[in-house]
């Protein structure tokens, strides 16, 4: 049986979904300052991780932090866009939606800072 485009498991549909997802990621890399900062921070953390020879468990925590931050930042941007698309007018609900999304990013960032500190601070301290 040929796999049609409207088949629930259509490979073409799956490929399209991946294409759209990559378009979203590329858009954020090219246009979103906060996402660009996260990418640079992630690269810096990975270089430090390589130089300080993190073990497997430490890398897993770092990867969870990095990709979790990327995902939340993308979702935050999506919520900002959806709110702005709905209406550019000042509204308390629009403010709540954007502030809640920003809060989600901040909560994860704070957790990442704690994890990063627990992993990296003793290793940096051991260098001196
Ligand atoms: N339509 C609105 N009504 C009320 N308050 C808003 C509205 N849009 C934005 N705000 C307030 O301004 C803040 C900043 O909103 P903005 O859309 O500029 O996001 P941002 O955090 O600056 O993100 P970015 O710089 O990535 O666009 C929001 O968190 C919210 O408190």
């Amino acid at each position: 049986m040929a796999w049609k485009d409207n088949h629930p498991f259509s490979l073409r549909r799956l490929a399209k979904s991946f294409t759209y997802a990559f378009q979203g990621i590329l858009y954020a890399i090219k246009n979103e300052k906060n996402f660009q900062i996260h990418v640079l921070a992630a690269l810096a953390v990975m270089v430090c991780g390589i130089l300080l020879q993190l073990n497997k468990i430490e890398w897993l925590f770092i990867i969870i932090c990095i990709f979790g931050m990327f995902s939340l930042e993308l979702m935050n941007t999506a919520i900002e866009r959806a709110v702005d698309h709905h209406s550019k007018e000042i509204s308390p609900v629009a403010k709540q939606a954007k502030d809640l999304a920003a809060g989600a990013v901040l909560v994860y960032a704070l957790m990442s800072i704690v994890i990063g500190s627990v992993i990296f601070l003793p290793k940096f301290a051991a260098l001196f």
Side-chain angles (χ1 to χ4, degrees):
M1 187 177 91
W3 281 38
K4 293 191 182 137
D5 211 17
N6 61 357
H7 190 284
F9 300 107
S10 158
L11 282 180
R12 191 184 296 178
R13 263 179 38 178
L14 190 66
K16 269 191 198 167
S17 300
F18 273 106
T19 305
Y20 298 142
F22 279 115
Q23 282 173 353
I25 294 168
L26 269 181
Y27 171 84
I29 291 171
K30 283 185 189 162
N31 302 290
E32 289 297 315
K33 192 161 273 171
N34 286 345
F35 195 81
Q36 291 164 351
I37 291 169
H38 285 304
V39 171
L40 287 179
L43 288 174
V45 167
M46 286 196 276
V47 169
C48 288
I50 291 165
L51 293 176
L52 294 169
Q53 298 182 326
L54 299 189
N55 66 33
K56 217 182 267 182
I57 301 293
E58 289 167 335
W59 270 119
L60 285 177
F61 274 102
I62 293 298
I63 285 167
I64 289 168
C65 290
I66 288 174
F67 283 85
M69 277 311 313
F70 286 165
S71 298
L72 274 174
E73 192 55 49
L74 290 167
M75 194 56 75
N76 180 38
T77 303
I79 289 169
E80 282 176 6
R81 289 293 177 287
V83 169
D84 287 342
H85 178 70
H86 179 67
S87 167
K88 292 267 189 196
E89 282 178 22
I90 299 293
S91 111
V93 179
K95 177 175 168 50
Q96 279 169 11
K98 287 190 177 183
D99 290 352
L100 287 164
V105 176
L106 181 61
V107 166
Y108 203 90
L110 290 175
M111 183 202 74
S112 300
I113 288 169
V114 171
I115 290 176
S117 301
V118 168
I119 291 175
F120 282 107
L121 285 184
K123 293 184 192 295
F124 281 128
L127 293 177
F128 299 103

